[in-house]
Amino acid sequence: MADFAQARVVIIGGGAVGASALYHLAKAGWTDALLLEKNELTAGSTWHAAGNVPTFSSSWSIMNMQRYSASLYRGLGEAVNYPMNYHVTGSVRLGHSKERLQEFKRVVGMGRYQGMDLSILGPDEIRSKYPFVETHDLTGALYDPYDGDIDPAQLTQALAAGARQMGARVERFCPVTAAKWTGAEWVLSTPKGEVRCEYVVNAGGYYAAHVGAMFGRRVPMMVMSHQYLLFDTIPELEAWTKEVGHKLPLLRDVDSSYYLRQEKMGFNLGPYENPCRAHWATPDDPMPEDFSFQLFPDDLERIEWHINDAMARVPLLTQANLTKVINGPIPYTPDGNPLIGPMPGVPNAFEACVFTFGICQAGGAGKVLAEWVTEGGTEWDMWSCDPRRFNGWEDHDYLVQKGMEVYGHEYGMHFPMARWPAAPDRKLSPVHDRLKALGAQFAPYNGWERAEWFAQPGDDTSWESTQTWGRAGPWEPRIKAECEAVRDGVGVLDLPGFTRLRLVGPGARAHLASLTASKLPQPGRMGLIYFADARGRIVTEMTCIPASDDDVGVITAAVAQGHDADILRKGLPAGVMLEDWSDKIHCFIVTGPKARELLAGLSEADLTLPWLSVQFTAKVAGRDVALVRVSFAGELGWEIHCDRDDAPAIYDALLAGGAKPFGMKALNSLRIEKGYRAWKGDLSTDYTLLEGGLDRFIDWGHDFPGKPALQAEKQRGVKKRFVSLKVEAGECDAPYMSTLWHNGQVVGETTSGAWGYRVGHSMALGMLRVDLAVPGTEVEVEIFGDRMKATVLPDGPAWDAKNERIRA
């Protein structure tokens, strides 16, 4: 019992992900690790999973994770001496439209950067890989030679066996029933006795919410019912397989939303249907205490269309007899990505749960989770999976609606101007109704509805109009006009939802100073401050506005609310409180060369104070405000911070004074022209502060996290460097993580891209090999498969290089 009662880290949940976490923790040297499973290993979603192992993803970080999984699985059986059925068959992903082929070409570019040889097949080439498919209505396909399928139970057992070989432990039939934090360790209650541990990991699969509740955590998830069908042997397929000596590649018809895989000498068909079915989502359908190794009843009517479509696409399927239906639970977060990382607000606790594609992601997830626990950070920036991307406002109805939407559009393309419609209007600006009346087209930012652009009467604002990767659309002339209004006159941007955190108490300023690489501004001034991890990589950016040494406020990205609060809580001294004012204060950006003229008619504040100055006690339109002399648009401007109740009167006065409303799409264009970085695009842990060109924000005269790493990097020199690029783009601007080429070699990647309406050309921000990061150097940007010429611009902003307009 003594051996069982203590561990350095405990993993709760014995599916593929939990076993992978155990394996990777042991591999990292943390062999005093224990996995607790309430039933037998694989008893949750793992045992009934189809076991597909794609590398494809339109997300850079998730592609990294899945690529690692595929690589790990290829050698795992031999490494741990455990036999596994892993078939690397390749896959053919069918495209029905120009837009789908553009998506494929983008993924091919990302895959090539990551060392994978993905390729595009023309319609006449598809049958060379998959001879039984009808191709008459296709535009092409993506071929992935690394795709395949694995036996999920064997994978889990192999990972567990490898972990045990290194000294880690697995305890089956041992549910955790309660958790208590003593201030120094976790005490977990089980029927076999208490377990004490330093760290704990929730790998509870579709039971993750139940596990999370023991830690006071409401896990943002719901559960879907997913069916796949197994078909009997087809003689023609059997004969073909014996003749060529291999299985068919896995076929995905992503526009019809299903996969079709050769299973022995028959088929496995897995649709993602819409409408779909949520389970355990209503009071009359509660989650059972134990659903181990159980399935839902068949529900074939729901997927009848997909069966018929698959039979028309691969007529061979009509010859097969249906032998089995698997209908099991799969968990979903609101965006379909898993939760991997720190458990928000809970000490020494982590999550590795809510995996929709747990088998193909388990290997990479175990690696990432082990890095979080043992090193406090991950090799790749994993914000796409960080639990802190959700901030607690997501209620049950939202979770169910968004989960069903993601499932029903599992292979959907995420176009830049499309707003997925489920569960809107969770958090509204106090002037939301006014924006709506002005034609605002909204998108959510941490649940807050912000105007993206303003439509005029007659503009096509339908869903269909947004189904393009291109710049052109009804929004394009409107965004152009909004940018020009900011350039030539004065614009106003409604900006609800900024994260606003305050450190209050003796030592507040000293605490913040110890965490950041930057020098804090003095009261009456504001400034950007940057935070590094132990490797010197960019963790976050905050705007610091100190009122005094005992009262220091920071403003940061809306979605960074939980993430950045975590940073400020680290080592919080006694007597210093961290307060969250995010929901209490509202903000408008008023900017453009006529901004001073407009505000002069509405305020007696001192509008001659210089750039980056702060007036805490000012009035606009007779209402109390804080007036901050700054503009993310890169023009003369102010941020007006006010009480939510006062916002409508202030907004009305600004509009009456001649300010033109502009939206987030215009702001994105304006900030890229100025080289201003955006969080988790240009600013991520994929780059160090020095690579990110943030040298001028580093105060080397004090100690801060990451300083030794940055000093060492400064001495040896950076390998890549932040640049602004002038891009000779076609109909599309460079999306995030577009590959940069020079003389046939991959030399970097973009981190942002947009048309610059003030400079009159397409622009991109990115990271480039340091020897090429020289003004005038010509490179190529791969935009949806086409390599477009780009020129490195001089350091500093492309627009108003000397910042004369900002300082006017």
Side-chain angles (χ1 to χ4, degrees), residues 55-220:
T55 61
F56 178 99
S57 178
S58 56
S59 161
W60 177 261
S61 52
I62 288 177
M63 177 181 265
N64 259 324
M65 194 163 67
Q66 293 177 178
R67 171 183 54 79
Y68 174 88
S69 291
S71 175
L72 172 71
Y73 300 167
R74 284 195 288 274
L76 182 63
E78 188 178 348
V80 304
N81 193 28
Y82 192 98
M84 287 198 316
N85 289 320
Y86 180 30
H87 309 111
V88 182
T89 61
S91 69
V92 174
R93 196 172 286 253
L94 304 178
H96 292 243
S97 65
K98 167 192 166 185
E99 289 75 22
R100 184 64 80 175
L101 261 289
Q102 286 177 295
E103 179 196 49
F104 289 170
K105 289 173 181 176
R106 170 161 157 66
V107 171
V108 165
M110 295 197 320
R112 190 185 293 114
Y113 197 137
Q114 292 191 15
M116 296 186 294
D117 188 21
L118 312 181
S119 58
I120 299 294
L121 304 175
D124 55 344
E125 298 174 292
I126 296 172
R127 294 184 75 142
S128 68
K129 299 291 185 187
Y130 202 105
F132 303 109
V133 68
E134 294 295 316
T135 62
H136 60 281
D137 57 346
L138 302 176
T139 54
L142 183 146
Y143 179 64
D144 177 358
Y146 307 95
D147 209 331
D149 61 272
I150 198 166
D151 183 305
Q154 290 176 348
L155 168 65
T156 306
Q157 295 294 351
L159 289 164
R164 287 191 191 101
Q165 289 163 17
M166 290 182 276
R169 293 165 288 155
V170 175
E171 190 73 25
R172 298 169 299 144
F173 303 101
C174 187
V176 175
T177 55
K180 183 176 70 179
W181 175 247
T182 68
E185 62 180 359
W186 285 102
V187 180
L188 306 178
S189 300
T190 82
K192 298 183 180 183
E194 287 187 343
V195 185
R196 293 176 175 271
C197 59
E198 191 179 346
Y199 297 95
V200 69
V201 179
N202 178 359
Y206 59 72
Y207 272 98
H210 179 75
V211 174
M214 291 187 267
F215 297 88
R217 156 80 165 147
R218 191 170 67 84
V219 178

Side-chain angles (χ1 to χ4, degrees), residues 565-640:
D566 260 8
I567 291 171
L568 299 183
R569 279 194 202 99
K570 283 178 189 168
L572 196 65
V576 177
M577 300 289 293
L578 178 63
E579 300 176 354
D580 190 325
W581 288 60
S582 304
D583 293 350
K584 299 174 185 174
I585 308 294
H586 194 65
C587 179
F588 300 111
I589 293 178
V590 179
T591 185
K594 297 181 181 176
R596 182 178 283 117
E597 182 183 327
L598 168 62
L599 288 176
L602 300 173
S603 177
E604 294 180 3
D606 186 352
L607 302 177
T608 66
L609 289 178
W611 186 39
L612 305 182
S613 60
V614 181
Q615 297 176 74
F616 287 105
T617 53
K619 287 185 183 291
V620 171
R623 310 298 172 116
D624 292 332
V625 303
L627 210 52
V628 181
R629 175 78 192 276
V630 70
S631 167
F632 199 49
E635 299 285 350
L636 171 69
W638 285 262
E639 288 178 1
I640 300 173

